[in-house]
Amino acid sequence: MTEKFVDLGFAKLDISRHNRTGLNETVFCAGKTPSQLLKILQTFQQQNRAVLGTKCSREKYEYVTAAGVAAKYDEVSGLIFLDNGVTPQALAGTAAVCTGGTADIPIAEEAARTIEFLGGKVERYYDVGVAGLHRLLDKLEDIRRADVIVAAAGMEGALGSVLGGLVEAPVIAVPTSVGYGASFGGLAALLTMLNSCAEGISVVNIDNGYGAGVLACKILKMAGKKL
Amino acid sequence: MTEKFVDLGFAKLDISRHNRTGLNETVFCAGKTPSQLLKILQTFQQQNRAVLGTKCSREKYEYVTAAGVAAKYDEVSGLIFLDNGVTPQALAGTAAVCTGGTADIPIAEEAARTIEFLGGKVERYYDVGVAGLHRLLDKLEDIRRADVIVAAAGMEGALGSVLGGLVEAPVIAVPTSVGYGASFGGLAALLTMLNSCAEGISVVNIDNGYGAGVLACKILKMAGKKL
Amino acid sequence: MTEKFVDLGFAKLDISRHNRTGLNETVFCAGKTPSQLLKILQTFQQQNRAVLGTKCSREKYEYVTAAGVAAKYDEVSGLIFLDNGVTPQALAGTAAVCTGGTADIPIAEEAARTIEFLGGKVERYYDVGVAGLHRLLDKLEDIRRADVIVAAAGMEGALGSVLGGLVEAPVIAVPTSVGYGASFGGLAALLTMLNSCAEGISVVNIDNGYGAGVLACKILKMAGKKL
Amino acid sequence: MTEKFVDLGFAKLDISRHNRTGLNETVFCAGKTPSQLLKILQTFQQQNRAVLGTKCSREKYEYVTAAGVAAKYDEVSGLIFLDNGVTPQALAGTAAVCTGGTADIPIAEEAARTIEFLGGKVERYYDVGVAGLHRLLDKLEDIRRADVIVAAAGMEGALGSVLGGLVEAPVIAVPTSVGYGASFGGLAALLTMLNSCAEGISVVNIDNGYGAGVLACKILKMAGKKL
Amino acid sequence: MTEKFVDLGFAKLDISRHNRTGLNETVFCAGKTPSQLLKILQTFQQQNRAVLGTKCSREKYEYVTAAGVAAKYDEVSGLIFLDNGVTPQALAGTAAVCTGGTADIPIAEEAARTIEFLGGKVERYYDVGVAGLHRLLDKLEDIRRADVIVAAAGMEGALGSVLGGLVEAPVIAVPTSVGYGASFGGLAALLTMLNSCAEGISVVNIDNGYGAGVLACKILKMAGKKL
Amino acid sequence: MTEKFVDLGFAKLDISRHNRTGLNETVFCAGKTPSQLLKILQTFQQQNRAVLGTKCSREKYEYVTAAGVAAKYDEVSGLIFLDNGVTPQALAGTAAVCTGGTADIPIAEEAARTIEFLGGKVERYYDVGVAGLHRLLDKLEDIRRADVIVAAAGMEGALGSVLGGLVEAPVIAVPTSVGYGASFGGLAALLTMLNSCAEGISVVNIDNGYGAGVLACKILKMAGKKL
Amino acid sequence: MTEKFVDLGFAKLDISRHNRTGLNETVFCAGKTPSQLLKILQTFQQQNRAVLGTKCSREKYEYVTAAGVAAKYDEVSGLIFLDNGVTPQALAGTAAVCTGGTADIPIAEEAARTIEFLGGKVERYYDVGVAGLHRLLDKLEDIRRADVIVAAAGMEGALGSVLGGLVEAPVIAVPTSVGYGASFGGLAALLTMLNSCAEGISVVNIDNGYGAGVLACKILKMAGKKL
Amino acid sequence: MTEKFVDLGFAKLDISRHNRTGLNETVFCAGKTPSQLLKILQTFQQQNRAVLGTKCSREKYEYVTAAGVAAKYDEVSGLIFLDNGVTPQALAGTAAVCTGGTADIPIAEEAARTIEFLGGKVERYYDVGVAGLHRLLDKLEDIRRADVIVAAAGMEGALGSVLGGLVEAPVIAVPTSVGYGASFGGLAALLTMLNSCAEGISVVNIDNGYGAGVLACKILKMAGKKL
């Protein structure tokens, strides 16, 4: 246990995570004040480390860039990127990122851009939900060529099950909070995905596009392994 | 309000329901003692009225037939039938009764046999769930010819949504309690069906095959109406 | 599977839905940005297709009309209509749309105006909830003449059960999120309706007036069928 | 605070409850071993105090009577009575105890027999649920003459709301665990009753017929008060 | 069934409720638009009927008085009163209205002022929750003299149970949504009150001070009855 | 990190837990087969270590003693004790273990006997729930002399709150699954205790008498510390 | 869509699943009658296809083998194997299957034996839960060498999070229903795993060891891909 | 029962709490109006008593100080302090206050500053959650020296379990509402902590840093006791 971290008092930046897990530390921006976020990003900037921030508001992004942090921002997904000029090692293979509807795109983009930030290649298939199954079947041959599939869907969340029965690659199902009434903030989609009768479907937290992206990359990395 | 009922004290048999709703009284057997069920069926038998009993155990069925009630029983669905020689008026059209899996058959049979008892015609499509979508697509043209569709499914219950996007007839979705873990006794399938992104899907209670059957017949009756 | 769709990237407009399901594509506005909604409506306008948008805010309506979309808007129900001069084929029969209270009217209007947009005839019976049962009984003969009944109610949602025991037509129960405390955003009314002891009641999602309207039209269409 | 109790170690019998609350101690039998129940009842017998036991199995009843306790038992309600020759003071007025269906009778009897044990007069109206509203309306004038009303109902539990809008007396609504699927062990009926849009409805725990009976007696006692 | 109502289209004013239930119609203001509320109150004003409105915002109150409705308003409870010069018949006896804490006062005032509007007499005992039991015990003799008791409490809601074991009068427990975390909007207090081990406790919906007030008056009216 | 464990394959016995946490390993018997339990206890017996087993059925106890394990058993609490002749170091101070009712005793005994097994002194105060507050007040001076208090209660679980406002010692509240209906297997009592308005109350899992006992001992150990 | 299936009426055996998803059909035994299971297995036996059955009781296993099906059975996991002499293609790499406690082993074995049936290599690390972290750290270097990790845990289910922060391979977290009280049948562990603050953790349904095993194999197959 | 309180009508200030429980009254500011808070604090100021207010907004703080109350405020924790020059008696020993992440700091500070206000000594260990276990292990020897440990964590809340298996001191686990999706406002962390497989963990309400602080002080006070 010789790993190290940078202790800022209010945060302990886990700079050895890459050694342990192959991933850099990520910053969950939603629960931090602008000044806390600034100090964290400045520290990573000084260390020339690439870092990703999730669930970041435009206000926080503007606050940190005004203070000199060279970050980029994607408004759709709420991701903030500080690459510090580091180019990630390219991952082999392709991830297909699909959504049930248009309203699921912010979470899908959180997954897709996380994958790209980590060196993966993404193809997007948006609005292919089960209410119009032919849209999905029309794209099926393309999707089947992907090496891992992310399926983000709200409301009843059936996209994951349907895809799971049609493809060979692992499917990562992301329930989204899109819906109303008895969707209960994404609970309906979450339960659908957990109870999928198709095999080999993996589920992450509601609206956790970032987690789906990381998992997709972990799976893509398998391809390069000599076993 | 001139309707009548037979007052047995512990039960008030609603013999005017047919006039009000076009349906006979039905007996929910699960909550009644064998002797209560016997007295109710004897009364209907004396009045030469057809009656259906739901959620009936074999023990109760044997108890009432031993006491002279001329009932029939279907073990799969738990339905008990006392037709008293009454032939229901035949309904036009056909109901397709579908299940996601084999384990949903008891509830599907509760729907199918209720429809048949009420004079409807049923076609059965069992085990056509979304894990093997080609099984459903293979039967789709047949199912599309039905005038009303009952879709019983447990686990993630996606069958209703998928069917809803592929057919013109009304779809009655019946969540079943088949599953385990986070299916929570059918709650997952219920929420899936309520949140369906396909339009015009109707939902009944978990395991309520009887209610789905009645609703299907109410819809089939529309076909004979002169509007 | 020869159906077609228009691929906008962020959305795949399902222009073959009418062929499959007898219904046009509908746009769920709540989850889309104003510019996404605009591009979708412009596409439908160019194709001279009628389309309905649900859960639409006044701001989005004003945004799209300012950009030249010839849509109409109903503030009470949050529906946006783009008829493109298409007159729907008139449906035979009548739908009775009822509410338990005044606060349920927005959802009832979502159902009623959906039915009218799809060519159906609607009669409205508002504020006939069970706290003053004589109001319902006073209108009962009129309601019984309807061919399908929509019952929207919040709080305890008993209207569906009571109606279900008094009429012959199918009843579509819509739980609304009206209420407070242990109504839990409409959950109480939803459970009431699912557990109705009256037969043949069909339930849709909380606040899903649109879904109830579509289902009502699917049932009305049965009347014209030659079986 | 000069009240007294009998300390048996595992139980502290509250023999001063009558002074404080006008009610005798009651024994919740479900959570006690047969020998604990025996010792409690023997103590009350020695003190010549009347006591009621709730949720008592036939096995426990037989155990205590075999050991010489002069108790009586009602199998339907699971109540065990040890009156010790004490005749309760008769309460003025009448309680109407109603049920939605036959399956709710055990809980209704728990209420009715509790009221009778405490000196009240009961009229029973069973199986008058809203699926056949005319049965309730037929009995309405009788029920309206009661001074307090207990309404026990499972499934959707709408009986309380409907009664509440039709009578002047206070209504005590008792949700029962009768039902299946999304009744969730009585939760649906409980929420219905709590959210009743009729005023002045009082709710007790699921299956708590005893509590309803006690509350009814507390209300009946008001009639004799000189205010 | 000869009762009457005033049909405003969006509302059916139940002017015969007093004959049926001894209570006037009440208006649930939260779910109505200002103009709907205005039309309802104007109608009652023209008929010289007293009416109470619940969960009313100051904005709605100002809107209706600006339009000439002679209503009064209580900001703490959100009640709006239109007495039309009608003096309610005084009820015998006294209601004690208690709260666990200061934050429960708005709901307690909703109960207290409802009772007063209906002709009852109220004594207030605020902030007597179980964290400082001596405060309650100090007032106990006074509270015991009341003929009916309303106990409003949030957080763990134990006040109802504790009072129920100490008094003879019926206790109406009102869970409030005061609290945070695992109080889940009043659910914790609601469950506490429903599960009370003290007998004869009656529960109403979370934050339903009005319902508690009406129930208290129904019980107080018992005192004047000749049985 | 030099601790050690005994690896049985299906179990890794944590024989260094005492060094880390001051406590021995405990065996959760409910999830183990009889033969697994036997092998675990034999291993501890060979090592002459004292060990406690929780939630143990009589069948498992008889199985292991028949195979030569010198364990003792308490049927009320379901605890199995293997002391191996080790006498625990006596703890200073006293724990008061209280219950709301008689039915809570099994869980209270699980706490009490755990404390005694770990060297603590226990005083029992059973059936002192809030329905008869004088029973608690009668014992209050004794309870106040305890150094730590365990309060086990089901149903509404108010005992913890009431005690918390009356004593100086830390209160460990144990919700029990005693109750029915809306107690939801102890959830009601759990929420009550978590939302207690009295300060300094600590809560453990439903029916976790063992955890309460361990926590009580950890607190009693504080008394001997030189700080 | 040229796939085929065998239609048994009550079941449609998906014999083309291997072509679509790389996996054979699996039989969920819990929801099938013994005779249904027999007919399904006989059909697969006649076709010389390997098939796996999950959640199978010993009774069903004995029923089908008595009728001549050459299946094998593992009592711990409830899996039934019909390999028909088919040897699966060996998968490269290794899966580490870990449990928090001994009681999680049946679900872990369901995962492990599924992996082995599908040609994968498994290493087992049982009882390495976080209550004794040194047990996990002791095995960490071994676990880190695995290519995919299955972590089955009940109670609080923290094993997944802790592992996720320590390893590079993808972690598949399986919540189990082991626990009591507020574990709510595995819900606590499920929520823990979904909310993990460690990245790249994938979750399956409660007690779904089979699904975890299939997902592990899908990931292991990545290793052989040429991308 | 000779304790006293100050009766302000809307509040009864519990000035004898210190005698009963060793703690001063605390004011829950969230549910009080600014003027109610002012009157309460003025009363305590006149009596020269130290008082703490929780969940206080900056607006309320400014309102009361503008009116002359000599309070101090901590924006991070939302605590308001009125010490009236009273210095608390210093407690022996040290409390370690830990958080899983940076976003949990406000609740941790509520605990830490409560402890300090009551005379305790605090050491802070922030952002030591299980995603980077080495951060916790790095600080472990320091944390183990503390006499009581507060562990505040949101998301999956595993910090409490992990700490519980590594230390001897009692651990007070505080679930926080930090997280999204299936964290359900802190419910996931709460369930994790309640189900901890490590022994002797105590849980308080979600976001109840104050309660954790008080409990920590009650435990620290044990150290000074002569037993």
Side-chain angles (χ1 to χ4, degrees), chain B residues 222 225-227, chain C residues 89-95 115 118-122 146-148 216-217 219-225:
Chain B
M222 294 291 296
K225 283 180 101 169
K226 296 260 160 39
L227 303 182
Chain C
Q89 196 178 346
L91 296 171
T94 306
I115 295 170
L118 296 173
K121 209 161 55 192
V122 175
D147 301 291
V148 66
C217 289
I219 292 173
L220 288 176
K221 277 186 183 175
M222 293 291 295
K225 283 180 102 168

Side-chain angles (χ1 to χ4, degrees), chain A residues 209-222:
Chain A
Y210 164 71
V214 168
L215 183 57
C217 290
K218 287 206 167 198
I219 292 172
L220 288 176
K221 278 187 184 176
M222 293 291 295

Side-chain angles (χ1 to χ4, degrees), chain B residues 4-63:
Chain B
K4 300 212 192 73
F5 55 88
V6 179
D7 196 339
L8 301 179
F10 65 88
K12 299 194 172 27
L13 306 185
D14 185 0
I15 57 177
S16 62
R17 187 172 298 181
H18 193 279
N19 289 347
R20 291 194 326 275
T21 70
L23 293 164
N24 295 321
E25 164 108 277
T26 305
V27 183
F28 176 56
C29 303
K32 297 190 177 66
T33 63
S35 72
Q36 287 174 335
L37 182 60
L38 175 62
K39 280 177 213 147
I40 289 170
L41 294 183
Q42 283 172 332
T43 305
F44 280 113
Q45 189 155 298
Q46 286 153 15
Q47 300 215 350
N48 289 319
R49 290 172 184 277
V51 68
L52 189 66
T54 62
K55 310 290 180 197
C56 185
S57 65
R58 168 162 283 279
E59 288 66 31
K60 285 185 187 168
Y61 160 68
E62 289 173 351
Y63 180 92

Side-chain angles (χ1 to χ4, degrees), chain E residues 130-131 133 137 155-156 158 161-162 165-166 180 182-184 188 191-192 194-198, chain F residues 130-131 133 137 155-156 158 161-162 165-166 180 182-184 188 191-192 194-198:
Chain E
V130 302
L133 197 61
L137 297 178
M155 295 178 172
E156 93 276 55
S161 283
V162 171
L166 293 170
Y180 61 89
S183 79
F184 296 124
L191 293 182
T192 301
L194 286 168
N195 286 284
S196 173
C197 51
Chain F
V130 300
L133 198 59
L137 297 179
M155 296 178 171
E156 92 274 56
S161 283
V162 170
L166 293 170
Y180 61 89
S183 80
F184 296 125
L191 294 182
T192 300
L194 286 168
N195 285 284
S196 174
C197 51

Side-chain angles (χ1 to χ4, degrees), chain B residues 2-227:
Chain B
T2 63
E3 295 96 335
K4 300 212 192 73
F5 55 88
V6 179
D7 196 339
L8 301 179
F10 65 88
K12 299 194 172 27
L13 306 185
D14 185 0
I15 57 177
S16 62
R17 187 172 298 181
H18 193 279
N19 289 347
R20 291 194 326 275
T21 70
L23 293 164
N24 295 321
E25 164 108 277
T26 305
V27 183
F28 176 56
C29 303
K32 297 190 177 66
T33 63
S35 72
Q36 287 174 335
L37 182 60
L38 175 62
K39 280 177 213 147
I40 289 170
L41 294 183
Q42 283 172 332
T43 305
F44 280 113
Q45 189 155 298
Q46 286 153 15
Q47 300 215 350
N48 289 319
R49 290 172 184 277
V51 68
L52 189 66
T54 62
K55 310 290 180 197
C56 185
S57 65
R58 168 162 283 279
E59 288 66 31
K60 285 185 187 168
Y61 160 68
E62 289 173 351
Y63 180 92
V64 299
T65 50
V69 172
K72 284 179 221 125
Y73 184 63
D74 175 53
E75 188 124 24
V76 173
S77 62
L79 288 173
I80 181 167
F81 309 91
L82 180 63
D83 63 16
N84 277 312
V86 181
T87 309
Q89 196 179 347
L91 297 171
T94 305
V97 177
C98 311
T99 73
T102 299
D104 304 312
I105 290 179
I107 301 305
E109 281 296 305
E110 190 181 302
R113 287 168 184 260
T114 294
I115 295 170
E116 290 167 346
F117 184 76
L118 296 174
K121 210 161 53 193
V122 174
E123 286 174 4
R124 288 157 169 87
Y125 303 90
Y126 289 167
D127 199 23
V128 294
V130 302
L133 199 60
H134 61 297
R135 302 176 303 187
L136 178 63
L137 297 178
D138 183 85
K139 302 290 185 192
L140 187 58
E141 284 319 297
D142 292 342
I143 295 173
R144 283 177 60 89
R145 273 192 290 273
D147 301 290
V148 66
I149 297 170
V150 174
M155 293 178 172
E156 92 276 54
L159 181 62
S161 283
V162 171
L163 267 172
L166 292 170
V167 302
E168 189 163 352
V171 175
I172 304 168
V174 193
T176 75
S177 54
V178 170
Y180 61 91
S183 80
F184 296 123
L187 180 63
L190 172 64
L191 293 182
T192 301
M193 290 166 172
L194 286 169
N195 286 284
S196 173
C197 52
E199 292 108 344
I201 293 185
S202 145
V203 186
V204 297
N205 194 5
I206 298 164
D207 288 341
N208 188 6
Y210 164 72
V214 168
L215 182 58
C217 290
K218 286 205 169 197
I219 292 173
L220 287 177
K221 278 187 185 175
M222 294 291 296
K225 283 180 101 169
K226 296 260 160 39
L227 303 182

